[in-house]
Amino acid sequence: MSVIETVEQLEAIYGATNDASTVKVADHVTPLYRIFIEKAPFAALATIGPEGIDCSPRGDLPGFVRIHDPKTLMLPDRRGNNRVDSLRNIVRDPRVSLMFLIPGSGNAVRANGRAHLSVDPELLASFKVEGKAPRSVMVMNVDEIYFQCARAIVRADLWNPDKRIDPKTLPTPGQILAEMSQNKVGGAEYDRIWPERAAATMW
């Protein structure tokens, strides 16, 4: 197997970047990037810690990531499974990355920077939905922001409704839990009650 071991070897294969790949990068949220963030109902949050890297989905009402100012993004932590992998990483290593996706758009917007977690009561209260506040808010200082070219989403045909997979052809969470726990956790009952439980604990 031939392995690339140096940046020089890598650049010899891929060549130099073009102007469009570099001029799009800003060190703050520009007015046009602001539009993407305010319309995005989904983002992937990447963090790093002593155990390695982690990437976690984040979804909410469009604009759920608040633009506090051109250098500051705020992401509320909504109800989940309490693993807090991403939050644990942020406490130990502030480096974070967000990738925003908008259904129907071929472009993704990526923001890289450093973050901390805030539990300021007034800040938490400002993110209430249906009277429920998040338990923490990630406050991110933006170092760079740019859009990703559309090729990956176009190749995946991601938003084509005709390409949607029938969920019945995939393993369910209950089945995975049952397999991993030797049927001590999960199973058909877990799958049956999950929709109702999720609806009651969405926020």
Side-chain angles (χ1 to χ4, degrees):
M1 179 185 294
S2 297
V3 177
I4 297 173
E5 297 181 334
T6 68
V7 172
E8 290 74 19
Q9 290 174 324
L10 183 66
E11 291 176 344
I13 294 170
Y14 284 91
T17 57
N18 58 36
D19 290 343
S21 297
T22 55
V23 73
K24 65 185 178 181
V25 181
D27 65 358
H28 64 285
V29 180
T30 66
L32 295 182
Y33 283 139
R34 182 184 190 99
I35 295 171
F36 272 93
I37 294 173
E38 290 179 338
K39 292 184 179 294
F42 179 87
L45 171 63
T47 60
I48 187 167
E51 295 84 10
I53 59 175
D54 183 72
C55 187
S56 175
R58 293 291 191 267
D60 212 324
L61 302 174
F64 68 102
V65 175
R66 179 183 298 171
I67 304 170
H68 178 69
D69 60 50
K71 288 291 290 184
T72 311
L73 299 177
M74 295 180 169
L75 170 63
D77 188 61
R78 301 297 184 192
R79 295 284 292 268
N81 57 19
N82 292 333
R83 281 184 56 110
V84 297
D85 296 305
S86 300
L87 307 186
R88 186 180 290 109
N89 281 349
I90 291 169
V91 168
R92 298 176 295 176
D93 189 322
R95 291 176 292 173
V96 298
S97 181
L98 283 169
M99 183 173 70
F100 298 92
L101 292 176
I102 301 173
S105 172
N107 294 303
V109 166
R110 297 165 61 177
N112 301 320
R114 296 174 182 270
H116 66 269
L117 303 179
S118 174
V119 290
D120 177 80
E122 291 186 8
L123 181 61
L124 298 181
S126 73
F127 279 96
K128 281 185 178 180
V129 175
E130 296 185 359
K132 298 176 183 177
R135 283 185 280 185
S136 67
V137 172
M138 184 189 84
V139 180
M140 175 183 178
N141 183 74
V142 176
D143 291 332
E144 60 178 2
I145 183 170
Y146 53 94
F147 73 88
Q148 183 78 27
C149 85
R151 288 187 183 89
I153 292 176
V154 171
R155 283 193 295 259
D157 208 6
L158 188 61
W159 308 124
N160 185 346
D162 295 331
K163 298 293 182 69
R164 290 180 179 175
I165 300 296
D166 182 355
K168 294 179 181 178
T169 66
L170 301 172
T172 68
Q175 289 170 338
I176 295 171
L177 288 169
E179 180 183 67
M180 297 298 291
S181 68
Q182 291 75 50
N183 293 311
K184 295 177 182 176
V185 180
E189 180 65 8
Y190 180 94
D191 291 328
R192 187 187 68 78
I193 65 175
W194 188 88
E196 181 178 349
R197 184 173 73 251
T201 59
M202 189 61 64
W203 309 109

